[in-house]
Amino acid sequence: MQRAAQRADRVHHDQRAKRLRRALVCAAAVPAVLITAACSSDSGGSEDKGGAAQQSASAGSSASPSASASPTVQAAAYGKLPGPCGVLSKKTLADLVPKAKSGRTGSSDAPATRGSCSWSSLDNNGVKGSQFRWLNVSLLRFDSDTARGAGDKQAHAYFTQQVKDAQNVAGAQNAKVQPVSGVGAEATLVRYDLKKKEGAFKQQTVVARVENVVVTLDYNGAGLAGEKTPDADGLSKDAEKAAKEAVAAVLAANGAGSASGSSSKAPASPSASASKAPSKQASPSASPSKSATKKN
């Protein structure tokens, strides 16, 4: 009995000793686990911070550049137009349309960008016939625009179209085209004959560009009722002189340049989308000029 009790005590003692060793082992393992967890936590935090910093730097370096500035276009050289009926001197008008009393201003919904004026003259010599003259000056100014481009390029495109239109007038005969020097940046003379029931007309059209402004001058003459047909060469010289004067008026209105016009060169490739110009003013009802048939 006593031995059995002793064996039971030893077994019980051994079991308690095992449980104690396990507790000690576990207790000793706890700090290591905590340290490991703490290290893992610190390491992860550093990596997270480093990763965040790297992502931030990467985002900064790869961020798209700021939006580019809006496209710009060179400002137009001239912002004003002279009054169309005041571009020619009294002397010039007396030479070209001697019987004209005053100019007739064409209607315009935008006088700052377009305008025209016309004069008609009929020197009636009774049974000896009459000499008829008709003169028209048209001005068109183009503003620079980011959609349509620079004003001078738009003006060049319109200049080119005006020259083509002058060459394609219905019924025109003996057409000639020649450059005109000393009038703006570029200028062209188109001349032709036009027969009407009233007589044979000699038509002269000078198209000139000065920077962003286009001047179109039409001048024609006819001998009516048996009167002698005017000399075309003389009319051409008068038309060129008047066109040069009109260009000088544009420069003067903007406080720039000399009578010879601008020194700028014609753009190499005009915009195909140049603003459409207003139709030329038709001649007075008494005038049998070509203006009614000219394409605009």
Side-chain angles (χ1 to χ4, degrees), residues 20-156:
L20 179 60
R21 282 196 297 272
R22 290 196 195 100
L24 291 175
V25 170
C26 291
V30 169
V33 172
L34 292 177
I35 292 172
T36 302
C39 292
S40 299
S41 176
D42 290 344
S43 175
S46 298
E47 290 178 355
D48 290 344
K49 291 178 182 179
Q54 290 179 354
Q55 290 178 358
S56 177
S58 176
S61 62
S62 63
S64 59
S66 58
S68 59
S70 299
T72 59
V73 63
Q74 184 177 358
Y78 302 135
K80 298 179 181 179
L81 286 180
C85 289
V87 297
L88 301 179
S89 66
K90 291 182 178 181
K91 184 181 184 306
T92 297
L93 291 173
D95 290 341
L96 274 63
V97 282
K99 297 298 180 178
K101 294 182 179 180
S102 61
R104 180 178 178 181
T105 305
S107 61
S108 174
D109 57 353
T113 57
R114 65 186 68 190
S116 65
C117 189
S118 62
W119 299 262
S120 61
S121 172
L122 182 64
D123 186 4
N124 192 341
N125 297 313
V127 294
K128 295 181 179 181
S130 304
Q131 283 291 333
F132 174 80
R133 300 289 185 275
W134 182 74
L135 174 65
N136 184 82
V137 178
S138 296
L139 308 172
L140 186 62
R141 183 179 65 81
F142 293 86
D143 284 321
S144 294
D145 183 270
T146 54
R148 294 190 297 269
D152 60 339
K153 290 185 178 180
Q154 296 180 59
H156 175 71

Side-chain angles (χ1 to χ4, degrees), residues 217-281:
L217 185 139
D218 290 302
Y219 184 49
N220 64 42
L224 308 179
E227 180 62 283
K228 182 181 179 180
T229 300
D231 177 56
D233 289 337
L235 294 178
S236 293
K237 290 180 180 179
D238 288 341
E240 291 179 20
K241 176 184 176 182
K244 185 175 183 179
E245 197 169 307
V247 166
V250 173
L251 297 174
N254 291 275
S258 62
S260 62
S262 169
S263 60
S264 65
K265 297 180 181 180
S269 56
S271 169
S273 61
S275 300
K276 187 176 180 181
S279 300
K280 292 183 180 178
Q281 179 189 355

Side-chain angles (χ1 to χ4, degrees), residues 11 25 94 98 114 135 143 147 159 173 176 184 195-196 202 207 229 281 288:
V11 171
V25 170
R114 65 186 68 190
L135 174 65
D143 284 321
F159 164 86
Q173 299 177 350
K176 296 180 180 179
K195 289 185 177 181
K196 296 285 187 177
K202 299 292 184 179
V207 185
T229 300
Q281 179 189 355

